[in-house]
Amino acid sequence: MKNVLMTASVLAFAAGSAVAGGIERSTQSTAILFENADNYLEFNFGAVNPSVSGTAIPALGGFGSGDMAGNYKSLSFGYKKALTDKLDLAIIYDQPLGADVNYAAGTNYVIQGSTAEIKSDSLTALMRYKMPQNVSLIGGVRALRTSGVADLNVFVPGIGPTPYALQSTKETDFGYVLGVAWEKPEIAARVSLTYNSAITHNFTALSESSLVPGADDQFETEVPQSVNLDFQTGIAANTLLFGSVRWVDWSAFKLDPKGYSATYGDPLVYYDNDVVTYSLGLGRKFNENWSGAIMYGYEKSAGDPTGNLGPTDGFKSYGIAATYTQENVKITGGVRYVDIGDATTRVYNSSFTDNKGWGAGIRIGYSF
């Protein structure tokens, strides 16, 4: 029972985050360390389809933006090995950060034709040391590679549309992971607290085109620190309650290429507030082969104006997942609907309302 329910509790999140705080696309989970096998391999694939559109104020024509949030896919995999009866090792690859922005041309919206993209790849090595009293210590190192491009049509009152373009270098830098966990196996209970350090990238603008040239082509970006609190416990026969609280220091993040800020005054991307995301779910084992889970996610709307490249503010989400287990193989599929919070953008005061997103994912796990 425990193994199946733990899988259901983790995989209810497999559909991915259609819209989360900042540019986040994964939660940097350490759950693979708790798989009950000497050797465990898993593969995850997700697809997300957000729909985000808004309307300009009458003074700027009142035109609609069209859907500006591109669909995207995510890929991750992990391997866990028990080195001894007290020490486990895990290697995880994921794509934790990303953005796909596309304001279609021809809409007459205030920044029509603007596009931007952020890509990332991360490789994390984790270790778990089992201590007495069912306490575990977790630690590891994360390598993160990130790059971005932008091709914007920025409207300046009194001047009109102005072009801006940027292509950054691909930068690889390192951070660390520290955590602690406690378990009570007889009731499938576990609580884990994990800290992910900030990672600082020093980008070079391979090319930057703006009305006012920047002082130099170097700019520093801090991928923010975060804290995850994950929990689960059996509440009845074959039934598991699970959830998480995740805090990310997004107020420390900014993309500030010199040419952009010299021309328009503000960084290209920045956030006014940190973000806390909550999840709560229920897992149930139906028989020896099948189990399932439902979950609810919540991220509070801050109410402050947002950037024009990310015009969303909080969300509510509803997800469902099912797991099929056959001998050493576990296959889980999940789907999630996201009710995206309304937002008003900086500078232009455009209104983005009634937006939504869908995500679906699959995980294949193999124990040996």
Side-chain angles (χ1 to χ4, degrees):
M1 170 191 139
K2 177 186 173 185
N3 199 36
V4 174
L5 288 176
M6 286 176 68
T7 303
S9 71
V10 174
L11 266 296
F13 303 94
S17 184
V19 176
I23 54 173
E24 188 168 74
R25 289 185 174 175
S26 78
T27 60
Q28 302 172 334
S29 172
T30 61
I32 191 173
L33 286 168
F34 299 93
E35 286 290 337
N36 287 331
D38 287 343
N39 293 276
Y40 174 77
L41 183 67
E42 68 177 31
F43 170 84
N44 305 276
F45 176 78
V48 179
N49 179 14
S51 179
V52 180
S53 60
T55 305
I57 60 174
L60 294 175
F63 298 105
S65 69
D67 186 4
M68 51 72 61
N71 301 343
Y72 66 88
K73 298 177 176 62
S74 62
L75 175 70
S76 69
F77 55 83
Y79 171 67
K80 176 253 181 178
K81 180 176 180 59
L83 301 177
T84 70
D85 60 346
K86 293 185 178 297
L87 190 64
D88 295 324
L89 168 70
I91 305 295
I92 304 167
Y93 165 81
D94 67 349
Q95 299 165 319
L97 307 175
D100 291 280
V101 176
N102 186 2
Y103 283 95
T107 62
N108 291 319
Y109 183 69
V110 61
I111 56 171
Q112 63 174 337
S114 295
T115 63
E117 184 178 49
I118 294 174
K119 292 184 177 181
S120 72
D121 298 280
S122 176
L123 190 64
T124 305
L126 296 173
M127 300 195 78
R128 174 193 176 205
Y129 179 69
K130 302 173 187 176
M131 299 177 64
Q133 306 300 319
N134 295 321
V135 174
S136 299
L137 298 181
I138 297 168
V141 178
R142 173 173 288 113
L144 176 65
R145 188 179 193 187
T146 310
S147 63
V149 296
D151 187 1
L152 308 181
N153 188 30
V154 184
F155 182 86
V156 178
I159 298 177
T162 62
Y164 174 81
L166 170 72
Q167 181 180 356
S168 80
T169 51
K170 294 180 179 179
E171 297 296 332
T172 302
D173 293 284
F174 296 86
Y176 62 88
V177 181
L178 294 175
V180 61
W182 171 84
E183 297 176 277
K184 191 172 183 179
E186 55 267 32
I187 59 170
R190 184 176 76 237
V191 179
S192 64
L193 182 67
T194 310
Y195 171 77
N196 301 279
S197 74
I199 297 176
T200 300
H201 289 316
N202 289 292
F203 289 109
T204 298
L206 294 175
S207 63
E208 187 180 21
S209 174
S210 58
L211 291 181
V212 180
D216 59 61
D217 58 359
Q218 307 287 323
F219 62 99
E220 182 180 284
T221 296
E222 179 183 302
V223 179
Q225 62 184 338
S226 63
V227 177
N228 285 13
L229 174 65
D230 299 286
F231 62 88
Q232 66 174 51
T233 184
I235 57 173
N238 298 323
T239 305
L240 189 77
L241 179 71
F242 61 90
S244 68
V245 180
R246 176 168 169 80
W247 168 81
V248 186
D249 188 18
W250 280 113
S251 61
F253 175 86
K254 66 179 179 179
L255 290 175
D256 192 15
K258 301 300 189 296
Y260 188 91
S261 56
T263 303
Y264 305 110
D266 289 329
L268 175 60
V269 179
Y270 67 97
Y271 302 100
D272 294 318
N273 302 287
D274 299 342
V275 173
V276 180
T277 306
Y278 304 88
S279 297
L280 187 66
L282 195 66
R284 175 75 178 175
K285 178 181 177 181
F286 304 119
N287 53 48
E288 292 305 313
N289 298 113
W290 286 98
S291 63
I294 57 174
M295 64 159 283
Y296 171 76
Y298 175 75
E299 192 173 283
K300 181 181 178 181
S301 297
D304 296 321
T306 67
N308 289 276
L309 300 184
T312 66
D313 188 12
F315 68 82
K316 298 176 183 178
S317 69
Y318 311 87
I320 185 169
T323 299
Y324 177 74
T325 304
Q326 182 64 47
E327 296 181 348
N328 293 339
V329 178
K330 295 182 290 187
I331 301 174
T332 300
V335 64
R336 186 156 84 146
Y337 170 78
V338 184
D339 181 5
I340 300 171
D342 298 345
T344 300
T345 63
R346 301 187 189 108
V347 183
Y348 308 124
N349 294 316
S350 297
S351 178
F352 283 73
T353 60
D354 301 323
N355 293 303
K356 61 183 181 296
W358 287 91
I362 187 169
R363 173 177 291 176
I364 300 174
Y366 177 65
S367 301
F368 58 100

Short mmCIF file of all heavy atoms in Angstrom, two decimals, residues 55 75-76 84 109 131 149 163 175 193 210 258 262 270 278 329 358:
data_model
loop_
_atom_site.label_atom_id
_atom_site.label_comp_id
_atom_site.label_asym_id
_atom_site.label_seq_id
_atom_site.Cartn_x
_atom_site.Cartn_y
_atom_site.Cartn_z
N THR A 55 -6.76 42.94 -22.60
CA THR A 55 -7.27 44.05 -23.39
C THR A 55 -6.62 45.34 -22.95
O THR A 55 -6.50 45.61 -21.75
CB THR A 55 -8.80 44.16 -23.23
OG1 THR A 55 -9.41 42.91 -23.56
CG2 THR A 55 -9.36 45.25 -24.12
N LEU A 75 10.42 17.85 -19.74
CA LEU A 75 11.02 16.52 -19.68
C LEU A 75 11.90 16.44 -18.44
O LEU A 75 12.63 17.38 -18.13
CB LEU A 75 11.85 16.27 -20.93
CG LEU A 75 12.66 14.97 -21.00
CD1 LEU A 75 11.71 13.78 -21.16
CD2 LEU A 75 13.65 15.01 -22.17
N SER A 76 11.82 15.33 -17.73
CA SER A 76 12.73 15.11 -16.61
C SER A 76 12.91 13.60 -16.41
O SER A 76 12.10 12.79 -16.85
CB SER A 76 12.20 15.75 -15.32
OG SER A 76 11.04 15.08 -14.86
N THR A 84 24.14 2.08 0.62
CA THR A 84 24.19 1.19 1.78
C THR A 84 22.78 1.17 2.38
O THR A 84 21.86 1.79 1.83
CB THR A 84 25.19 1.70 2.84
OG1 THR A 84 24.68 2.90 3.45
CG2 THR A 84 26.56 1.99 2.22
N TYR A 109 -2.66 45.37 -30.73
CA TYR A 109 -2.40 45.49 -29.30
C TYR A 109 -1.12 46.29 -29.08
O TYR A 109 -0.22 46.31 -29.93
CB TYR A 109 -2.30 44.11 -28.67
CG TYR A 109 -2.10 44.13 -27.17
CD1 TYR A 109 -3.11 44.56 -26.32
CD2 TYR A 109 -0.88 43.75 -26.61
CE1 TYR A 109 -2.92 44.60 -24.95
CE2 TYR A 109 -0.68 43.77 -25.24
CZ TYR A 109 -1.71 44.21 -24.42
OH TYR A 109 -1.51 44.26 -23.05
N MET A 131 19.20 8.40 9.72
CA MET A 131 19.66 8.45 11.10
C MET A 131 18.67 7.68 11.99
O MET A 131 17.60 7.26 11.52
CB MET A 131 19.76 9.92 11.53
CG MET A 131 20.74 10.73 10.72
SD MET A 131 20.77 12.46 11.21
CE MET A 131 21.40 12.31 12.90
N VAL A 149 16.21 34.76 -25.00
CA VAL A 149 16.16 35.66 -26.16
C VAL A 149 14.89 36.49 -26.06
O VAL A 149 13.88 36.05 -25.48
CB VAL A 149 16.19 34.90 -27.51
CG1 VAL A 149 17.50 34.16 -27.67
CG2 VAL A 149 15.02 33.94 -27.61
N PRO A 163 11.71 49.26 -31.18
CA PRO A 163 12.19 47.87 -31.20
C PRO A 163 13.25 47.64 -30.14
O PRO A 163 14.06 48.51 -29.83
CB PRO A 163 12.78 47.73 -32.60
CG PRO A 163 13.25 49.11 -32.94
CD PRO A 163 12.28 50.07 -32.28
N GLY A 175 24.41 25.63 -7.33
CA GLY A 175 23.83 25.90 -6.03
C GLY A 175 23.81 24.62 -5.21
O GLY A 175 24.33 23.58 -5.66
N LEU A 193 11.55 18.89 4.86
CA LEU A 193 11.79 20.33 4.69
C LEU A 193 13.09 20.47 3.91
O LEU A 193 14.14 19.97 4.34
CB LEU A 193 11.90 21.02 6.05
CG LEU A 193 12.12 22.53 6.03
CD1 LEU A 193 10.89 23.24 5.48
CD2 LEU A 193 12.45 23.04 7.44
N SER A 210 18.85 48.40 -28.90
CA SER A 210 17.92 49.28 -28.20
C SER A 210 18.15 50.72 -28.64
O SER A 210 19.18 51.05 -29.24
CB SER A 210 18.09 49.16 -26.69
OG SER A 210 19.41 49.48 -26.31
N LYS A 258 21.57 45.98 -19.81
CA LYS A 258 21.83 47.41 -19.67
C LYS A 258 21.13 48.27 -20.72
O LYS A 258 20.66 49.36 -20.45
CB LYS A 258 23.34 47.67 -19.71
CG LYS A 258 24.11 46.94 -18.60
CD LYS A 258 23.64 47.38 -17.22
CE LYS A 258 24.55 46.83 -16.12
NZ LYS A 258 24.54 45.37 -16.02
N ALA A 262 18.50 51.22 -19.75
CA ALA A 262 18.90 52.56 -20.17
C ALA A 262 17.84 53.21 -21.04
O ALA A 262 17.65 54.44 -21.00
CB ALA A 262 20.23 52.50 -20.92
N TYR A 270 11.07 41.66 -13.69
CA TYR A 270 11.28 41.67 -12.24
C TYR A 270 9.94 41.43 -11.57
O TYR A 270 8.87 41.58 -12.17
CB TYR A 270 11.92 42.97 -11.76
CG TYR A 270 11.05 44.20 -11.89
CD1 TYR A 270 10.29 44.67 -10.82
CD2 TYR A 270 10.98 44.89 -13.09
CE1 TYR A 270 9.50 45.79 -10.94
CE2 TYR A 270 10.19 46.02 -13.22
CZ TYR A 270 9.45 46.47 -12.15
OH TYR A 270 8.65 47.59 -12.27
N TYR A 278 0.60 26.56 -2.41
CA TYR A 278 0.07 25.51 -1.54
C TYR A 278 -0.55 24.41 -2.38
O TYR A 278 -1.18 24.67 -3.41
CB TYR A 278 -1.01 26.06 -0.59
CG TYR A 278 -0.57 27.21 0.26
CD1 TYR A 278 -0.68 28.53 -0.20
CD2 TYR A 278 -0.04 27.01 1.54
CE1 TYR A 278 -0.28 29.60 0.59
CE2 TYR A 278 0.37 28.07 2.32
CZ TYR A 278 0.24 29.36 1.84
OH TYR A 278 0.64 30.43 2.63
N VAL A 329 7.08 -2.20 -12.36
CA VAL A 329 6.81 -1.03 -13.19
C VAL A 329 5.61 -0.27 -12.64
O VAL A 329 4.59 -0.88 -12.29
CB VAL A 329 6.55 -1.43 -14.66
CG1 VAL A 329 6.21 -0.20 -15.49
CG2 VAL A 329 7.77 -2.14 -15.23
N TRP A 358 -4.33 24.18 -19.08
CA TRP A 358 -4.43 22.74 -18.90
C TRP A 358 -3.04 22.13 -18.93
O TRP A 358 -2.19 22.57 -19.71
CB TRP A 358 -5.28 22.10 -20.01
CG TRP A 358 -6.74 22.35 -19.89
CD1 TRP A 358 -7.46 23.37 -20.45
CD2 TRP A 358 -7.69 21.58 -19.15
NE1 TRP A 358 -8.78 23.28 -20.11
CE2 TRP A 358 -8.95 22.19 -19.31
CE3 TRP A 358 -7.58 20.43 -18.36
CZ2 TRP A 358 -10.10 21.67 -18.72
CZ3 TRP A 358 -8.72 19.92 -17.77
CH2 TRP A 358 -9.97 20.54 -17.94
#
